[in-house]
Amino acid sequence: MTDAAETELPRGVALAWGVAANPQRGPKREMSVERIVEAAVEIADAEGLAAVSMAAVAARLGYTPMSLYRYVTAKDDLVLLMQEEATGLPSEASRIAGSWRDRMQVLYREQVQRYLEHPWVLDVPITGSPTTPNSAAWMDAGLHALADTPLTHEERLSVMLLVTGHARWTGTVLAGYARVERERGVSDADITRTEDALYRRLITAEAYPDLRAAIDAGVFLDESDPFAFNLDRSLDGVAAYIAGVDKGRRAERAPWTGMDDADIADDKKFREARKAVRQAEKALRDARRGERQAAREARERRARQRGEK
């Protein structure tokens, strides 16, 4: 297996982590990777990802394309940095909300909101697992939400991907409708009524009996959230799986007595051991929070240093 320390970081990834070498020449204080990415995101938000080019970004900043290449050497690297900027960081609420399910739902809603704010992110090709700081923070938050469950690390990752997939699909559909609303100057209610009217005109009971029955029942005029329903049912399945795993593992721990943790909850040494575990888990969470804060501050210092050179 390749030693991680020997793996060469792609330029875009190195820029995202703040460990890439600074340009040796070119505009000093007036130009920075951060300004370039900010300008590119502004173009994408206004006109879509296809409108972003090194020339367009340079023109927006008042420089030549060659000036940009001293900082970001390829458009693919720029798109990676744009995606990192648009992704942002999950909120603290995703780490402190009640149950694992509450935390996963917070992450879902926040991811959907990011897609609505920057819909062009959905057009960025998926080429592999994310390896940038903000993407890693979302993954960490999802795994943290499940840290108190009996799931294995692999199972936690799978659940995180389940919720991420729900968020991406929801974002794809809602962003598409939002684009139609902007371009046609119509409301969501107008689109819904038009769709219902078209279905009622085109779908007959003879050709599509079940679909027609659903139309007559008003499914396309219903105001409930089908995406939230889908997520809830998926999480119901995860909860049922967790309950089964938890029960099976408790039985494995004490097969000779048939007892689980509830049966020994009043044992003093057991209570003390469980308390020590909770304290250690809290200390680990606090340490990780401190690590994330230190990383943010380090990146900010590095960015300021680059801007001063």
Side-chain angles (χ1 to χ4, degrees):
M1 184 171 61
T2 303
D3 189 337
E6 298 177 355
T7 302
E8 183 178 355
L9 294 178
R11 171 71 177 175
V13 173
L15 285 169
W17 285 96
V19 295
N22 291 320
Q24 298 302 311
R25 63 184 189 280
K28 293 186 178 181
R29 298 178 185 274
E30 296 82 0
M31 182 75 78
S32 69
V33 173
E34 290 74 21
R35 283 200 64 197
I36 293 170
V37 173
E38 181 181 340
V41 169
E42 289 174 355
I43 293 172
D45 285 346
E47 305 175 52
L49 185 62
V52 176
S53 66
M54 301 298 272
V57 175
R60 191 177 188 89
L61 293 172
Y63 290 100
T64 65
M66 287 305 300
S67 299
L68 268 63
Y69 282 111
R70 297 187 183 112
Y71 293 80
V72 182
T73 56
K75 183 181 176 181
D76 286 347
D77 293 340
L78 176 58
V79 172
L80 177 69
L81 296 172
M82 291 168 59
Q83 185 176 20
E84 172 75 353
E85 175 68 19
T87 297
L89 290 169
S91 71
E92 190 63 22
S94 67
R95 304 187 74 86
I96 63 175
S99 66
W100 66 265
R101 184 167 182 152
D102 294 329
R103 294 191 286 271
M104 296 305 290
Q105 288 175 325
V106 170
L107 287 170
Y108 163 80
R109 290 192 294 269
E110 292 184 357
Q111 288 175 21
V112 171
Q113 185 59 37
R114 294 296 194 285
Y115 288 132
L116 293 178
E117 292 172 355
H118 306 287
W120 53 267
V121 171
L122 295 163
D123 296 327
V124 177
I126 297 175
T127 58
S129 299
T131 54
T132 53
N134 289 352
S135 296
W138 284 93
M139 293 178 67
D140 186 72
L143 296 174
H144 173 76
L146 299 160
D148 294 333
T149 71
L151 299 178
T152 65
H153 289 293
E154 292 78 11
E155 291 168 339
R156 294 171 193 173
L157 182 63
S158 295
V159 174
M160 186 207 70
L161 292 174
L162 169 73
V163 174
T164 298
H166 273 290
R168 187 175 183 90
W169 172 241
T170 302
T172 297
V173 175
L174 296 185
Y177 274 84
R179 182 175 62 252
V180 173
E181 291 176 34
R182 291 193 304 271
E183 293 176 351
R184 299 182 184 176
V186 296
S187 68
D188 179 62
D190 292 332
I191 297 174
T192 298
R193 285 192 294 268
T194 299
E195 289 178 340
D196 180 72
L198 287 173
Y199 273 118
R200 289 179 184 277
R201 178 179 178 181
L202 300 171
I203 303 301
T204 65
E206 291 76 18
Y208 310 97
D210 294 297
L211 177 54
R212 182 66 206 200
I215 295 168
D216 291 339
V219 293
F220 291 106
L221 297 175
D222 185 77
E223 296 182 357
S224 61
D225 185 348
F227 302 106
F229 177 87
N230 293 341
L231 177 65
D232 284 340
R233 299 297 72 77
S234 293
L235 294 182
D236 284 346
V238 174
Y241 179 78
I242 287 175
V245 169
D246 195 32
K247 182 178 179 181
R249 290 178 182 171
R250 286 202 306 268
E252 289 175 1
R253 285 200 298 270
W256 59 90
T257 64
M259 293 190 300
D260 59 20
D261 291 350
D263 296 313
I264 57 174
D266 60 346
D267 183 86
K268 181 179 179 182
K269 288 187 176 180
F270 176 74
R271 290 201 310 271
E272 291 175 349
R274 172 162 282 186
K275 180 179 179 181
V277 169
R278 288 198 297 267
Q279 290 173 338
E281 289 173 342
K282 182 180 185 300
L284 180 59
R285 289 195 297 271
D286 291 343
R288 285 175 173 166
R289 187 179 299 112
E291 180 187 32
R292 291 195 301 276
Q293 178 62 32
R296 283 195 292 269
E297 293 174 354
R299 285 194 289 272
E300 291 172 358
R301 286 195 298 271
R302 185 65 61 87
R304 287 196 296 271
Q305 291 169 359
R306 287 201 298 264
E308 291 171 358
K309 292 182 179 180

